Amino acid sequence: MHGLASVWTLAASLAFALPAVAAPAPAPQLPDPLPRPDGKKADTSKPVQVYILMGQSNMLGFGKVPGLKEACANKGLYPYLMEEDGSWTVRKDVRYVRVMCSGPGPRKIYNNEWMTVKGNFGPEHGIGHYVGHVTKAPVLILKSCIGNRSLGWDLLPPTAEGYSGNKKGPREPIPGDWYAGMQYDGDVRAAKEVLEQIGKYYPGASRYEVAGFFFWQGDKDFRNAEHAAAYEKNLLCLIESLRMDFKAPKAKFVCATLGQTKKGAGGNLGKILEAQLNIDGEKGKYKAHKGKVATVYSHPLSKGGSSSGHYGGNPETYMNVGQAMGQAMARLILDTPEGVPGVDIDELSGSLKGAFKNIVAGKLGRADKTLREFLDSGSAEGDQMVAALKLTEHLSGLVDSFVKSMEDALDAGDLCRLRDGLKDRGKDFEGVPAFDKRLADWTAALTSEGAETELAAGDEFARLVARKERASPGEYCSWMATFQQTYPDSFYAAKAEAEVAPTRTALREAMQKIAALGDAGDLYAKHQLIEESEKIYAKMPEFDAANEQWAAEAKDPAVKQALTAGAAYSDIFEDAEALGVKLEDSLKKNKGISKQDKRDKADAKAMSKFQKGLASLGKKLERIAQRYGGTYYGDAASRSYKAFVDSGEQVLQDLR
């Protein structure tokens, strides 16, 4: 009993000392690498924790098993996948089911076994092993997807604009022509058919909960500008729709980016990446996603190739991305406010069970009081005392983290964050010594001289930020400039400067391009860029001042002539592009002509029309060269016309 008594003394001292500790409790750590699975089965009296995997072909899986065996056996990678004798490990606490259908077509079951390596694979092994490691309950990894599907069309969720299925449910694909959202409906239906027979797919189980979703997709959407532009909006709708359709409002969501896309990429690929990064709960745009949504940036994890080429089937790419997705979900599980790491509520005594529930509910003052009384009673022993220690440590971390966030707000001068934090969560912490000790100082700061003005500044700043999407960048910058003049010494004036800094940088770059075009003599392109920039940067003083000078320049007769010549020159190449599109459309249409001789005649007619159009544009180039000889556009027309003649009037190029 001496050992137990000394442990109790430590527990009692911790119960009183821990809430005053300055450093928050460390976040739960994942082992690296994971240990091999122990072969034990999960307790099927608990609901199966279901994780649904969706996406397109790379989620489906093209990782090659021979390469994976090489990586495990000879490179020492992913040791949890392979036994010492070279056989594949088997997780008997994680079940893997893969089902596939094409829209309204019949579903087919491809996998239904304990998690092990078997045939081509996607990210499921990394996901299943990490999620299984941190989950006491049974786990079902349920993949329902097919390749060559876009979020903007095939997988369009019911809450998204343009969805054409049955918005009220159930998720049964409507017979007939393919419609926006048909594959979403099919994938959800196929997954639900598995869950309706949970005992068949997880032997011994009778209950389940959908705990999370994994999504790896985007390849098809980047090929369509409209789909890429709407990707973020559709991704948000996907999260909402999945939670609704599976009756899982608290389910976590993890997505992975396309491996070939680097941060800073432009075009449609860049839009897809930006959308995926924006939904991340830690670094993204949506505060409500914190602790619930995570994005895996997969470019550093990819071993080469692209999503459209299935990364060359490289098994390390699929394993690396899968591991990262599994780790992201595991962290969301460990950090969830709905539980306490390392503590199972079903194993707690009455009072500790109450403390656990109060921690989960955010009633930390009550939980603190219960834990103190429990540890001070002298009755704590064995597993219950260890659990009390873990609960106390977790509670201490929550309190210290909140106290630190309030202290950081006060130190920075962010009184609105201090006020709002206390308003939203203050009552949850009342009665905890570490919180009560600082509350008087925070209240004094919020009622001190000048606090009213500072709070008004913060509220105005928040109002302007909330209206950002309704303004042009230039207008937004003008709002912030006025704000800074009104509250020049405020903490929020510096935040306002950070808000507009990217726009100021973009404006400088645009003005440099405008100047470079002017120096080169391409005045038409210069004033086109000025016109585009005006829509973005108008109302910014530096742009408006320069724009006055550019407007005066445009009235100069020589500049007017250059603009006229530039417009005529540019129109030629726009018309040439239109000719090419018409030719392509005609040839494509002609493919529908069944008889070869008629198709050949139609193709020849289309080509003849195209050649006549090119010849006409060539004549226009020649006239511009003659009329504006010795000027920027006259010389450009002369070069372009000569190249056109040299090509046998086959190729028309802009040689500015």
Side-chain angles (χ1 to χ4, degrees):
M1 291 299 295
H2 292 291
L4 181 58
S6 64
V7 174
W8 181 89
T9 303
L10 172 62
S13 65
L14 280 173
F16 286 91
L18 275 173
V21 175
Q29 298 296 310
L30 294 169
D32 184 22
L34 281 179
R36 292 187 179 97
D38 57 15
K40 295 181 181 178
K41 295 183 177 181
D43 180 1
T44 52
S45 67
K46 296 180 179 180
V48 176
Q49 301 300 292
V50 179
Y51 293 89
I52 296 174
L53 280 56
M54 297 179 69
Q56 55 183 118
S57 58
N58 289 299
M59 177 59 88
L60 192 64
F62 283 84
K64 305 298 183 183
V65 173
L68 180 60
K69 189 170 185 178
E70 166 72 16
C72 294
N74 299 328
K75 295 184 179 181
L77 300 176
Y78 327 117
Y80 54 87
L81 292 182
M82 184 173 281
E83 299 285 7
E84 290 185 0
D85 63 3
S87 62
W88 298 116
T89 60
V90 179
R91 284 203 80 101
K92 294 189 177 179
D93 55 347
V94 178
R95 194 78 177 174
Y96 173 53
V97 175
R98 179 167 75 92
V99 59
M100 186 169 69
C101 66
S102 180
R107 71 175 170 86
K108 182 177 179 181
I109 300 293
Y110 287 86
N111 293 85
N112 179 21
E113 66 263 349
W114 299 115
M115 180 63 72
T116 189
V117 176
K118 179 183 176 183
N120 285 359
F121 60 93
E124 63 272 4
H125 294 306
I127 290 172
H129 278 270
Y130 272 93
V131 171
H133 181 78
V134 299
T135 307
K136 287 188 176 182
V139 170
L140 171 62
I141 302 299
L142 173 53
K143 186 191 292 188
S144 181
C145 62
I146 194 171
N148 195 33
R149 299 292 188 263
S150 63
L151 181 60
W153 174 250
D154 314 277
L155 291 167
L156 193 68
T159 55
E161 183 179 353
Y163 170 81
S164 301
N166 183 1
K167 291 186 178 181
K168 294 183 179 179
R171 293 291 148 249
E172 291 287 345
I174 300 173
D177 294 337
W178 199 274
Y179 61 84
M182 181 175 272
Q183 189 62 51
Y184 174 93
D185 289 348
D187 287 346
V188 170
R189 179 202 60 180
K192 284 187 172 182
E193 287 177 351
V194 169
L195 297 178
E196 287 167 1
Q197 305 176 73
I198 188 64
K200 176 180 178 181
Y201 295 101
Y202 201 111
S206 59
R207 296 181 297 151
Y208 71 87
E209 297 171 350
V210 175
F213 302 97
F214 291 88
F215 192 65
W216 194 17
Q217 193 273 346
D219 184 273
K220 193 171 183 183
D221 290 80
F222 86 75
R223 304 169 193 282
N224 181 303
E226 184 179 344
H227 292 176
Y231 199 84
E232 182 172 335
K233 180 172 61 176
N234 290 336
L235 200 51
L236 294 172
C237 289
L238 179 69
I239 298 171
E240 179 186 16
S241 294
L242 288 173
R243 287 172 173 166
M244 289 172 57
D245 283 331
F246 286 96
K247 296 180 173 57
K250 297 180 180 180
K252 315 295 186 184
F253 185 92
V254 173
C255 80
T257 68
L258 299 178
Q260 70 268 26
T261 314
K262 295 182 182 179
K263 289 180 180 178
N268 292 343
L269 276 169
K271 290 178 183 177
I272 299 291
L273 175 64
E274 182 181 12
Q276 292 167 329
L277 295 177
N278 280 345
I279 69 164
D280 181 73
E282 290 297 327
K283 300 179 181 179
K285 293 165 49 178
Y286 305 96
K287 292 182 180 179
H289 286 185
K290 185 174 177 62
K292 301 173 184 177
V293 178
T295 299
V296 170
Y297 176 49
S298 66
H299 178 71
L301 308 173
S302 175
K303 306 301 287 185
S306 68
S307 54
S308 56
H310 304 132
Y311 307 107
N314 191 305
E316 294 179 36
T317 294
Y318 288 91
M319 282 303 305
N320 292 346
V321 173
Q323 283 192 151
M325 295 180 83
Q327 290 165 355
M329 183 63 79
R331 293 188 189 99
L332 292 178
I333 296 168
L334 291 172
D335 294 341
T336 179
E338 297 150 20
V340 178
V343 180
D344 188 339
I345 189 172
D346 294 334
E347 298 173 359
L348 299 179
S349 65
S351 61
L352 289 187
K353 189 171 291 187
F356 183 103
K357 289 180 178 179
N358 280 327
I359 289 174
V360 169
K363 300 173 182 178
L364 303 182
R366 293 185 188 180
D368 180 74
K369 181 181 178 182
T370 301
L371 287 169
R372 289 171 186 275
E373 291 175 350
F374 179 84
L375 291 169
D376 195 38
S377 68
S379 61
E381 60 181 38
D383 292 341
Q384 295 302 300
M385 193 262 291
V386 173
L389 274 172
K390 290 182 178 179
L391 289 171
T392 301
E393 182 181 13
H394 184 74
L395 172 63
S396 174
L398 296 175
V399 174
D400 291 337
S401 178
F402 183 75
V403 169
K404 184 178 185 303
S405 69
M406 295 297 94
E407 287 290 282
D408 289 346
L410 179 61
D411 292 343
D414 193 349
L415 294 187
C416 284
R417 182 156 67 94
L418 177 63
R419 176 200 63 192
D420 295 344
L422 292 175
K423 181 181 177 181
D424 293 342
R425 298 290 315 279
K427 289 185 178 180
D428 295 343
F429 294 90
E430 287 181 0
V432 180
F435 173 83
D436 292 345
K437 181 180 178 181
R438 296 297 301 137
L439 183 58
D441 292 337
W442 297 333
T443 303
L446 292 171
T447 55
S448 64
E449 184 179 356
E452 184 176 354
T453 300
E454 190 69 12
L455 289 168
D459 289 338
E460 174 64 10
F461 174 75
R463 186 182 70 82
L464 294 176
V465 172
R467 295 174 58 202
K468 181 177 182 179
E469 299 300 325
R470 289 180 275 169
S472 69
E475 187 177 19
Y476 185 62
C477 284
S478 71
W479 293 349
M480 287 300 176
T482 301
F483 172 82
Q484 288 172 306
Q485 292 169 4
T486 306
Y487 302 101
D489 300 322
S490 168
F491 162 80
Y492 302 98
K495 294 197 74 172
E497 185 60 33
E499 276 286 307
V500 300
T503 303
R504 294 192 192 284
T505 299
L507 172 59
R508 285 195 298 271
E509 292 174 353
M511 292 181 72
Q512 289 170 359
K513 290 179 181 177
I514 289 169
L517 288 169
D519 292 342
D522 195 349
L523 298 185
Y524 178 74
K526 172 184 175 180
H527 282 269
Q528 287 288 101
L529 181 55
I530 291 169
E531 186 177 331
E532 294 170 8
S533 299
E534 188 174 10
K535 299 173 186 176
I536 302 171
Y537 305 113
K539 297 191 177 182
M540 294 180 70
E542 52 267 57
F543 178 82
D544 289 346
N547 201 21
E548 286 185 14
Q549 296 179 0
W550 295 327
E553 173 191 274
K555 295 178 182 178
D556 182 273
V559 174
K560 282 185 176 181
Q561 184 186 58
L563 294 177
T564 300
Y569 179 84
S570 297
D571 285 348
I572 288 172
F573 294 98
E574 289 182 11
D575 290 346
E577 184 177 354
L579 275 176
V581 171
K582 286 184 179 180
L583 174 62
E584 185 178 346
D585 289 344
S586 295
L587 296 177
K588 185 176 181 180
K589 184 179 179 181
N590 292 346
K591 288 182 179 179
I593 301 174
S594 57
K595 292 186 177 181
Q596 184 66 44
D597 59 337
K598 288 187 177 182
R599 185 163 65 248
D600 291 343
K601 287 180 181 179
D603 287 348
K605 184 178 179 180
M607 286 298 300
S608 176
K609 190 174 181 180
F610 174 73
Q611 292 292 346
K612 286 179 181 178
L614 275 186
S616 176
L617 293 176
K619 292 295 183 184
K620 289 182 180 181
L621 264 182
E622 184 180 24
R623 287 195 291 271
I624 291 173
Q626 293 170 352
R627 182 175 180 180
Y628 299 104
T631 69
Y632 177 85
Y633 296 106
D635 292 346
S638 180
R639 290 193 297 273
S640 297
Y641 179 67
K642 183 179 183 303
F644 177 62
V645 173
D646 291 345
S647 71
E649 298 191 353
Q650 299 296 311
V651 180
L652 199 60
Q653 291 179 285
D654 182 353
L655 295 179
R656 269 184 280 193

